Amino acid sequence: MGKTFYIIDDHEMLRLGTISYIENNSEWKCLGSSDNQQKVISDLKDFSHTKKLPNIVISDLNFYGKDSGFELVKQIHELWPEQKIIVYSMFFAAGIVQNAIKNGANGYISKNASCSELLLCMEKVLSGEVFIQNELQQKLEKFNSFIDALTRREKDVMDLLLRHLTNDEIAHALDIKKRAVENYISSIYEKTGINDKAELIKRFG
């Protein structure tokens, strides 16, 4: 069948344009596309039943204005651990890249990158590498150095802060009390020298 991909993006013109560019400039063939999570999972289950999953799933992170791409990447990774996933997103912050990789992505490239870099990312991920766009890789290294002082739980809280979750939502996601979340956030600010959530998100999220 050759090299195959499946693409997820709720912007139809961008989705169709990306498919067209990839197919017209490489040996890759598109097995399908979607603009919503439910159809993605349904399609991948159908592919799985015939043992013909795409080599790579390319996914945006934001669907209809919702922060839902992380959950989708995680769900795909949990259902099909060997499925290779590339996040192709307008988000350009180190904390977002870190979240995507943590949830199961094998590659991350911004929509500001050249089309040829997307093809390079696909080839590298297909070969088994984790590929992060060079400019994003440099930001990620700085980010990881920045958060080295945090505990594991503080990192968990920070990841969710960078996804714009409220304190209540963070408490629910981590199954801890809201007061504990507030304490972790205070510790993050103290260790990093950041004053508030807005500054944290501006710098990393």
Side-chain angles (χ1 to χ4, degrees):
M1 183 186 293
K3 296 182 286 190
T4 59
F5 69 98
Y6 184 102
I7 188 166
I8 310 149
D9 198 301
D10 64 351
H11 292 87
E12 184 179 20
M13 290 298 291
L14 191 149
R15 187 172 72 248
L16 296 177
T18 303
I19 292 170
S20 177
Y21 176 84
I22 293 172
E23 291 194 326
N24 289 330
N25 291 276
S26 71
E27 299 174 349
W28 290 88
K29 297 299 177 186
C30 183
L31 290 186
S33 67
S34 178
D35 64 353
N36 69 83
Q37 295 166 280
Q38 290 74 25
K39 185 175 186 299
V40 174
I41 298 302
S42 176
D43 286 350
L44 291 180
K45 284 181 178 177
D46 289 342
F47 291 138
S48 178
H49 290 154
T50 60
K51 301 184 188 271
K52 293 181 180 178
L53 280 165
N55 294 123
I56 288 175
V57 169
I58 301 171
S59 180
D60 196 1
L61 285 178
N62 226 11
F63 305 117
Y64 304 107
K66 296 181 179 179
D67 171 25
S68 51
F70 294 108
E71 285 73 22
L72 178 58
V73 169
K74 183 178 181 180
Q75 186 177 9
I76 293 172
H77 179 66
E78 289 177 346
L79 288 171
W80 301 282
E82 300 305 314
Q83 177 65 61
K84 299 183 185 302
I85 307 167
I86 291 172
V87 170
Y88 185 43
S89 172
M90 66 179 182
F91 294 116
F92 204 67
I96 301 299
V97 179
Q98 178 78 347
N99 258 299
I101 300 300
K102 182 178 178 180
N103 280 285
N106 306 93
Y108 195 110
I109 189 163
S110 80
K111 291 179 180 177
N112 293 328
S114 65
C115 295
S116 59
E117 195 160 8
L118 173 59
L119 291 178
L120 174 63
C121 181
M122 293 171 71
E123 294 293 340
K124 293 291 188 181
V125 168
L126 181 65
S127 71
E129 296 183 35
V130 173
F131 182 92
I132 299 172
Q133 182 182 341
N134 186 53
E135 186 174 352
L136 298 177
Q137 179 66 46
Q138 294 172 0
K139 290 187 175 186
L140 184 58
E141 289 172 0
K142 291 180 181 178
F143 174 77
N144 286 335
S145 176
F146 178 82
I147 64 171
D148 276 347
L150 304 183
T151 66
R152 180 188 61 81
R153 183 57 90 186
E154 287 168 352
K155 290 176 183 177
D156 291 340
V157 171
M158 186 166 177
D159 284 345
L160 297 176
L161 279 173
L162 294 178
R163 290 167 54 183
H164 300 261
L165 270 67
T166 66
N167 290 3
D168 285 330
E169 290 169 333
I170 293 171
H172 177 74
L174 299 179
D175 194 24
I176 58 179
K177 295 185 181 300
K178 182 180 177 181
R179 182 59 183 168
V181 173
E182 293 168 349
N183 290 337
Y184 286 127
I185 291 174
S186 295
S187 179
I188 290 169
Y189 293 160
E190 182 178 350
K191 289 181 178 180
T192 60
I194 287 177
N195 296 316
D196 55 36
K197 187 182 298 186
E199 183 182 351
L200 186 78
I201 291 172
K202 180 179 181 181
R203 190 179 303 187
F204 295 111

